Every structure is written in structure tokens, then in C-alpha cells.
Amino acid sequence: ATKEQGVVTFLKSDYGFIRSNKRREEVYFHYSKVDLGDINEDNDYELKAGQEMEFLVVTEDNGRVSAREVKFLNRGSVEFHKFLAEGVMGIIDKCPQPAGGGNSDEISGRIRLLESIMDADKEVKVIDFNSTDSPGGSFSVRDGSQHLWIREGDTLLFDVIKESADESIRVFPTKKEVVAVGKNCDLTSTKQHQSTKLVQADLDAMLITSRSVKLVSCFFA
């Protein structure tokens, strides 16, 4: 058995599932395996979706992975990733292709970083990314095919994280602001200019090429 931490994602009548920070697949648990003695008036523990837990993972005789000795954790105890860099810019070399409309599986895209970052002693210059990481996500057309709002050559602003589950490196929505000096400026060299601020709005990441400025909110100082 291995000790892991995670967050409850789903509850049924007498069982549920936990997203673990050590594996990709969710872990099944039965209510009888939960230590309910931790619940009292001095904490906000409650068996519900979003509750953070610690547990032992075992493989049953039928091959199913399940949790034992499930215990409550305080909010903020579980970490699913760590940040390698914030406010990173990169250019899309290859757009991901969503599943559907002839694609049975998602095909990853690729972002080339404008400035490389370090992961321990390893230099990272290129990051794979999926359609779910793309600004605005995907949309479908009448034939059922899925398409993205981004194009090859677009520049994105994002954070870079390393997943705890498999140590994969991914792009992640950023809270950083980018500053530009006009509709057709070179955004790679104008971070410090206090003229036009582009903020993230409701997109999963920031499109900041001159072609895509109209897709995001612009606030004038």
C-alpha cells in the first residue's frame, strides 16, 4: 500500500472517487473506509466533493485500485503541481487537434518558448499542450469536427507547471499582465511599458498576437 493525498471528486450512495496527486486515474473508496471520527465542531471537515483527503492505495484481487484508511485533511494541504515559471510567453509551432470529427484521440500541440526555462538541471525550450489548455477551448461545426480559436504562429502568455502525478510539464492559466504599446507592436519587448494592459479575461490562457488582440479585454491606463 502507498500513502497518497487527493481531493474527493464524486460521491454516490455509499462510495466515491478521489483525484490523487500521485496518479492519473481516480481512486475508488467506500464510505466504510473513511475515518469519520475527525469531524467535529472545531473544523470544517465534510464528506463532499472538493474535500481534501489522505489515504492508503491498495490493489484488490479483481485488479481495481481502491483507498483504505481515508482521513480528512485541512484545506490547502494537497498539491497537484508545482510552478516552474510564471508569465512565460511562447509561440505555437503546432496546434493540438481535439478528439472528434474523425479523430478518435486528442493529438497534442507544441509551444516553443521565447525564452527557455530550467527544470532542475534540464533546459525546457518546448512544451506539449492539449486543446483544453487553449484560449477559449474548442468549438464544433455541423459535421461534428472540433476546432480551436488559436492558430500556428500565435503567441500565448501562460505559467509553466510540473505535475506531481507523472512529472509532466504543462502550460497553466496565468494571472500575470502583459503590457503593449499599440495594436501592431512587438509584445515580446514591451512588458514594462505603461500604455495598454491586456488581461486574461475569461480565457484559459492569453492570446497576445496583434491578430488576436480583439479576442481579449483591453484596459487603457
Side-chain angles (χ1 to χ4, degrees):
T2 60
K3 181 176 288 188
E4 300 182 11
Q5 295 181 344
V7 175
V8 175
T9 59
F10 176 81
L11 294 173
K12 196 68 173 177
S13 56
D14 58 357
Y15 68 92
F17 288 89
I18 302 173
R19 177 192 173 195
S20 172
N21 64 354
K22 295 298 184 184
R23 62 185 68 231
R24 283 296 183 186
E25 68 272 19
E26 293 190 343
V27 181
Y28 166 89
F29 74 96
H30 192 272
Y31 288 0
S32 63
K33 305 302 181 182
V34 179
D35 185 356
L36 298 177
D38 289 337
I39 300 178
N40 57 61
E41 59 183 13
D42 295 328
N43 57 54
D44 60 354
Y45 295 160
E46 183 180 352
L47 190 55
K48 62 180 181 180
Q51 174 63 53
E52 299 182 30
M53 313 293 275
E54 185 174 73
F55 48 93
L56 292 178
V57 176
V58 300
T59 302
E60 301 179 359
D61 293 339
N62 60 8
R64 181 175 63 178
V65 173
S66 65
R68 300 283 191 273
E69 299 183 23
V70 183
K71 299 180 179 180
F72 292 85
L73 290 175
N74 293 327
R75 185 184 301 274
S77 299
V78 181
E79 294 184 353
F80 288 99
H81 57 257
K82 68 175 182 179
F83 284 88
L84 295 182
E86 298 181 357
V88 177
M89 286 196 282
I91 297 176
I92 300 175
D93 277 346
K94 175 186 175 185
C95 285
Q97 298 180 30
N103 291 333
S104 57
D105 297 312
E106 167 105 9
I107 300 176
S108 296
R110 185 174 60 248
I111 297 178
R112 174 169 45 86
L113 305 187
L114 296 185
E115 295 183 7
S116 61
I117 62 173
M118 298 301 296
D119 173 24
D121 58 351
K122 179 182 178 181
E123 185 177 21
V124 179
K125 297 181 179 180
V126 176
I127 300 176
D128 291 339
F129 74 111
N130 298 320
S131 60
T132 53
D133 300 317
S134 304
S138 61
F139 62 93
S140 59
V141 295
R142 290 184 178 180
D143 64 2
S145 60
Q146 297 289 315
H147 299 269
L148 303 175
W149 297 103
I150 57 175
R151 302 177 187 172
E152 292 181 4
D154 282 345
T155 302
L156 301 184
L157 175 70
F158 48 89
D159 294 341
V160 179
I161 62 171
K162 188 172 185 177
E163 295 280 8
S164 300
D166 56 10
E167 297 192 337
S168 61
I169 296 176
R170 293 184 49 234
V171 298
F172 192 79
T174 186
K175 295 181 180 179
K176 292 287 185 179
E177 291 182 349
V178 131
V179 178
V181 269
K183 294 181 179 179
N184 297 310
C185 62
D186 179 5
L187 294 170
T188 64
S189 61
T190 58
K191 289 183 181 181
Q192 304 305 319
H193 196 287
Q194 299 300 315
S195 178
T196 303
K197 291 184 178 180
L198 307 183
V199 297
Q200 189 173 348
D202 294 325
L203 302 181
D204 295 327
M206 177 66 78
L207 265 167
I208 56 174
T209 58
S210 58
R211 178 189 71 79
S212 57
V213 163
K214 294 180 181 178
L215 297 181
V216 300
S217 298
C218 293
F219 292 85
F220 294 88

